[in-house]
Amino acid sequence: MIVMKFGGTSVANFEAITRTIFIVGGKLDQKPIVVVSALSKVTDALYKISDAAASRDKALTAELIDQLRQRHYNLVRELLEHSPALQQEALGKVGEICDSLESLANAICAVGELSDRNKAIIISNGELLSSTIICYAMNSKGIKTHFIDARKMMITSDSYLKGEPILEEITSRVPKIVEQAYEGAAAVITQGFIGSNLQGEQTVLGRGGSDYSASLIGMAVDAERIEIWTDVDGVRSADPRRVANTKYLEKISFEEAAEMAHFGAKVLHPLTIEPAVKKNIPLYVLNSMNPSGKGTAILQSEYIEDGVKSVSFKENIRVINIFSMRMINTSGFLRRVFEIFSENKVSVDLISTSEANISVTVDASEKIDKVVQQLSEFADVIVDDDKSQVSVIGKNIVRLNGMLKKTFAPLKKCNVYMISQGASFVNISFVVDREELNDVVNQLHYHLFENPDAEVM
Ligand code: ADP
Ligand code: ASP
Ligand code: MG
């Protein structure tokens, strides 16, 4: 059995879905579990719908829902042009999903209040729509495909918008459900991103979570491989949207991929690697627009060479500097500091400490007001905004001769605020001003990948 996950651009429209079905059709002998995201930009649109409804903007809410409905209706008409009966059925299902979205949005408009629970219901519709339509389209092309509702198997905590998967539930449910669905079928299809809590209420895994769903399903069925189909030829040495001459990476280790994803490479959801590692299942990142390409294999470390693989970054972060003389020679200070972060569910990326100071970085989207307030009760706190975090990632780079020099030499002219070297030996990270990010990433990439022998000016 294999898992094949197709992201938003791989299911964006008629052409993309036709390609995707062709790719799946070529692998039926491997028993694919197809996991799909919402059509490209649909989750963003659903967020806008929930905002419009919460601010009681009836006209905008109605307009956005209508656009969403028409986009999906048109897609059904195109994909099922030659199967009128299936087309009618699919239009009916799409209509039902859009109707229930509309009535919930109207109810929210009426009260002007949006709970996380209702927001999760709204944003889960993208995957429900895409998987419904693609299931019909696969059947119309002669691939007998059965539909699985991910909410029956992707069980999470109660956190509606960022549900944490409950592994025991998932591993006990998924194999049975998949096996049943496979009866009489050539393929099965389900949704990424969405799940439910133990009470059966809708939850989602957080933005970009379909990769994570695919990996969890792969873990649960002991898949031979997990394929993440997207719009680039595999994992590259940097974000191709930011750096011009990125290099294709044929294979990287689980650790390298996990660090890249955690430290900003948006090609994979940060938690994707974890479930795959548990069962040692290889992951492949592949391009649905170039399906004959080899993609990137993500494998156990022993198959991977030492050396620098990537420059990743997080564009908008904050540095929280905590100063206290009480830190010197007292035990329990660090515990107290990190308890505050943990209680407020603020996740910390980099940490560096000196005698009377701790600096940490957090994503700018984290709500830190309470953390700062509580820390200020026993320490001086200074928050630096508009910073970016850059990470050089590669197996054993921390041990390689001259790596620190190579990393920092091209940065002569800019301020570096914090440096952190991961204990895992795969990551050197530092913080710069956000306005310097572009230059820093490009310079660094040039010296590490494009022209390693170039003189640093
Ligand atoms: P999907 O919708 O298929 O999940 P995403 O947009 O989430 O696709 O992820 C693919 C995108 O990730 C690529 O288009 C690319 O711009 C971006 N990306 C960021 N860093 C990297 C990297 N190191 N290698 C490849 N792609 C990257
Ligand atoms: N559709 C969801 C999102 O846009 C999940 C995903 O695409 O991975 O965040
Ligand atoms: Mg993605």
Side-chain angles (χ1 to χ4, degrees), residues 174 197 368:
V174 172
N197 64 13
I368 59 164

Side-chain angles (χ1 to χ4, degrees), residues 5 7-8 37-38 43-44 127 192-193 206-211:
K5 177 259 169 179
S37 294
T43 309
D44 293 338
E127 272 69 12
F193 182 56
R207 290 310 304 261
S210 295
D211 302 329

